[in-house]
Amino acid sequence: MDRFPERRFAGFDLATLDAGPGDERVFLRNDLLFSPIFTQVSPPVMRFVADERGRILARDVESSGFAGRVESDPMDHGWRAVLEPADRRTLAKAAAGSPRPAPVPVRMHCTDGSVRWCLVRMVRVAAARGSHRWYGTVEDIHDRSDPELDALEAALRESRQHYRASVELNPQVPWTAGPDGAIEEVGPRWAALTGIDTDAALGVGWMDSLHPDDAERVSGIWADHLQSGLPVDVDYRVRLKDGSYRWMRARAAARRDDRGAIIRWYGSLEDVHAQRLAQQALSESEERFRLAVQSAQLGIWDFDAVTGIRTWSPELRAMLGLADDVPATSELALSLVHPDDRAELQGMMSAVACNSLPPHFEATLRIHRADDGRLRWIRSTGWSSRLDGERPLRLIVTFLDVTEEREAEVRIRWAATHDPMTRIPNRTFWQEGLEAMARQARADRQGFGLMLLDIDDLKRTNDALGHDAGDALLGEFVARLRNVVPTDALIGRLGGDEFGLIAPSLATRSALEQCAARLIEAMREPHVHDGRSFACGVSIGAALFGEHGGEADELLKAADLALYASKAAGRGRLTLFHPALRAEAQRRTSMIHMARDAVARDMVVPHYQPKVDLVTGRVLGYEALLRWRHPSLGILPPASIAAAFEDGELAAALTGRMLDAVTADLRGWLHGGIDPGRIAVNAAAADFQCGDFAERVLERLARCDLPPERLEIEVTETVFLGRGAHHVERALDVFARAGVRIALDDFGTGYASLTHLKQYPVDVIKIDRSFVSHIEEDAGDAAIVDAIVKLGTSLGLEVVAEGVETEGQAALLIGHGCSVGQGFLLGRPQPASMLFPDMAEPKILSR
């Protein structure tokens, strides 16, 4: 120190530095004395010394002239007021980046109101006790013009524009704070968001914009981090210009000096409102899920794929019959699963291990409870969470006991595929089995047999003995069927009285015939129900796969044709399909087509056959018989369209055409002064099924202004035997009250005729031609005719003999007391145009 008796160094008044012992040694060791920044400048210039916080501690004595030119004293922090704000930031950034930064151009405000360009050069030098000092110069370069200055000025402008663009375009709000946490700078976006000026946010002013519920929490977090120096990351709500609040995320980190002391905090404010709302929605969703799981009593399996820890909820343990202290292991889970489902669970566990399990999956497994061994159905639904391209982090699986649901499904499925009466497969399920057997037979190049079975007279049993008897007959039929058919047979109920049977063991004609023989024989055994015994016959149609058809539907059609032939041939027999049946089916189809055409084109033409008093020869009335006009063949009998009468809708349509024509003819005769007597029209069972047959007939008569007494409805006993017998009874009652007479046709050939005479309002019985045709040579037929005539007379009914073709037949009928006849002897059927060609009085036909 004796080398510096005046305590001066490089023009600095050392006394003004307030330096401690040893500071001079720093000056002596440093090469600052020989640095270019002190040796290569020319006035006006100011030399200065500043501490690590940017306070100017001293300036050289010769700088007083320079300092006098600026508008405020630069000592301490006074230099900040002299510089432009942007230049202050540029200078601070340069000091933070390097101990010997490049020269920094700045603008200084002078006392005369001007702003002059100056160049700041500085260097950081270590001092005692771990601190450091800045030594530098401020040189007035405003009047200089050289390439270096121009380049520096251009670089400064670019730097400022770059900084301004970075701040303005950045969606975040940058900010800085001193070591004490006081905000020193804040980006302009702050004012745009909050409407609060950036200067008002400095210090602790920014906290005025916080949501009241967040202020205390954020203040405490900021204070803790100022003390610890750890980075800050905190979310809080900031009030916007419109008064609403928005979630922001503030993050900051401290910059330290060489000794680790905090120099400044640098931070940013980021809008995280959308993310926060999404997170809140997710949390609410998870809470709802948790509550739903609890309310639904779902079992939860939580698997942490990172740690390998499995957690089973109490509900899952109760579901599995496990105690709370039993460890949750994969081996235990597998041991409880049904052996047939164990591989599926093992596959799911393997998928977790090899990272191939989808994010969402479902499975239904059977388990045996650990406590009582009961079999339960458990439905599992799983979700997995994972990082992109990495193994799952977590696996959540919910379990629900669906045993009752599965059992209900089984019952529903069974009900949908089985007949509830006989408890065997229904038509849909049986046909699915037929199609499957056909596919398998084609694949194996094997055959099988198909039988269609029809219970003979089931409808008659229902009508005669009641539906209880019919149901008992169905049950007995199925029981006998099961006892006779092969073990590989699939049987099904295809309709009311129709059943199907398929079996690979019936792949030959002989196998089919032998099985059918056993069936027919088994069904012949009388069936007893409620003390009454009745027969249980069966008609069978059969076909062989491969021989009679290579497709399921083709084979079924072949067997159906064979069954139709069995029933037409007299029932109680087997018919194996042969090609002629297909030709017959085509013929029936042709009949139906012609009948439809006859109805559509109004080609029905009634022919009238007289009913005659056998004693006097007087015509009493006529029976209208159906004929139709073929476009090329002319007038044809009903036999040419016989198949049409098996079709209910078509049969009813033909009757309608007949009624239209008959009422028109009858009206013409009556208006022409001719009295034809009563006209009889045949009605089929199909006519009564609609329920309003009588009303429609009476309406026709009313439209034509015809008295109901002029009409007679002829029915056969078959109309009483169907399921619509109640419609028949009602219609006949309506006819009888209106004055329409009822005639029972083909009497003596049907079933329970006496019952029908008693139950229904019959006025006329017609003796079937089968008895009349042999009355001369067959004493039995003569006796039957005599009995029918006496029965009808005793009941007050008119008796008409059909099929009278000889004088001898007529004489015998008169002898037995039957006075009314109908047949070729008495008159052949004729169209209306030939019946009364001159519209004269009807002639009396002689015998």
Side-chain angles (χ1 to χ4, degrees), residues 296-598:
Q297 294 297 303
L298 293 174
I300 304 295
W301 180 346
D302 188 350
F303 173 60
D304 189 327
V306 177
T307 64
I309 297 176
R310 294 175 177 83
T311 304
W312 294 353
S313 70
E315 291 81 6
L316 177 57
R317 290 180 175 274
M319 199 179 296
L320 301 178
L322 293 171
D324 294 340
D325 57 350
V326 176
T329 65
S330 299
E331 293 75 18
L332 175 58
L334 283 171
S335 69
L336 297 176
V337 173
H338 190 282
D340 293 344
D341 298 340
R342 201 166 289 162
E344 184 173 0
L345 181 59
Q346 184 66 62
M348 293 167 58
M349 292 179 174
S350 300
V352 173
C354 65
N355 191 22
S356 61
L357 194 69
H360 176 73
F361 58 90
E362 291 186 1
T364 301
L365 307 172
R366 290 165 291 178
I367 63 104
H368 288 283
R369 286 175 54 91
D371 51 358
D372 55 19
R374 284 187 301 158
L375 181 68
R376 309 296 292 177
W377 285 89
I378 306 296
R379 179 188 298 146
S380 62
T381 305
W383 296 265
S384 62
S385 61
R386 67 186 70 207
L387 295 175
D388 293 339
E390 296 185 9
R391 62 180 294 124
L393 295 176
R394 192 178 184 188
L395 183 66
I396 300 291
V397 185
T398 64
F399 294 87
L400 179 64
D401 190 323
V402 294
T403 304
E404 285 73 19
E405 179 182 334
R406 289 287 297 215
E407 290 175 350
E409 288 176 359
V410 170
R411 290 193 296 270
I412 293 172
R413 190 180 302 112
W414 188 94
T417 57
H418 287 73
D419 173 52
M421 173 69 65
T422 60
R423 303 186 68 82
I424 63 174
N426 59 17
R427 173 181 285 274
T428 301
F429 190 33
W430 184 85
Q431 286 195 248
E432 289 176 357
L434 171 62
E435 292 170 359
M437 190 174 290
R439 288 193 298 270
Q440 190 64 43
R442 282 194 298 270
D444 298 341
R445 298 182 180 276
Q446 299 292 328
F448 63 90
L450 184 151
M451 289 185 180
L452 292 181
L453 306 97
D454 189 277
I455 302 176
D456 295 336
D457 297 325
L458 176 61
K459 291 182 179 179
R460 181 171 295 179
T461 301
N462 281 329
D463 292 337
L465 304 177
H467 286 281
D468 289 344
D471 293 345
L473 178 59
L474 280 171
E476 181 66 18
F477 177 84
V478 172
R480 296 181 186 184
L481 186 62
R482 282 173 166 161
N483 289 334
V484 174
V485 299
T487 57
D488 62 346
L490 174 65
I491 59 176
R493 187 181 182 190
L494 311 187
D497 56 2
E498 186 176 342
F499 294 80
L501 182 155
I502 51 176
S505 60
L506 301 179
T508 63
R509 288 172 177 264
S510 61
L512 278 175
E513 291 170 352
Q514 292 172 16
C515 182
R518 292 194 301 270
L519 277 171
I520 293 172
E521 185 63 29
M523 299 308 169
R524 282 177 181 164
E525 283 289 328
H527 172 61
V528 179
H529 172 69
D530 200 16
R532 303 183 65 176
S533 176
F534 48 91
C536 179
V538 59
S539 297
I540 305 173
L544 293 169
F545 182 81
E547 181 178 347
H548 301 140
E551 297 291 339
D553 57 345
E554 185 181 3
L555 191 68
L556 187 59
K557 290 177 182 177
D560 192 49
L561 292 175
L563 177 61
Y564 182 87
S566 284
K567 293 192 290 186
R571 300 176 179 270
R573 66 188 65 202
L574 166 71
T575 299
L576 189 62
F577 175 79
H578 53 86
L581 296 178
R582 187 169 283 117
E584 176 64 21
Q586 292 173 350
R587 189 176 72 84
R588 291 198 304 271
T589 301
S590 177
M591 286 183 179
I592 292 174
H593 174 75
M594 290 189 296
R596 293 189 189 282
D597 195 43

Side-chain angles (χ1 to χ4, degrees), residues 604-640:
V604 174
V605 180
H607 279 47
Y608 298 91
Q609 186 175 32
K611 289 192 296 184
V612 178
D613 187 323
L614 296 175
V615 177
T616 65
R618 186 169 63 91
V619 175
L620 304 176
Y622 296 87
E623 178 182 359
L625 303 173
L626 185 145
R627 300 291 186 270
W628 69 286
R629 184 179 293 105
H630 191 278
S632 58
L633 301 178
I635 299 297
L636 295 178
S640 61

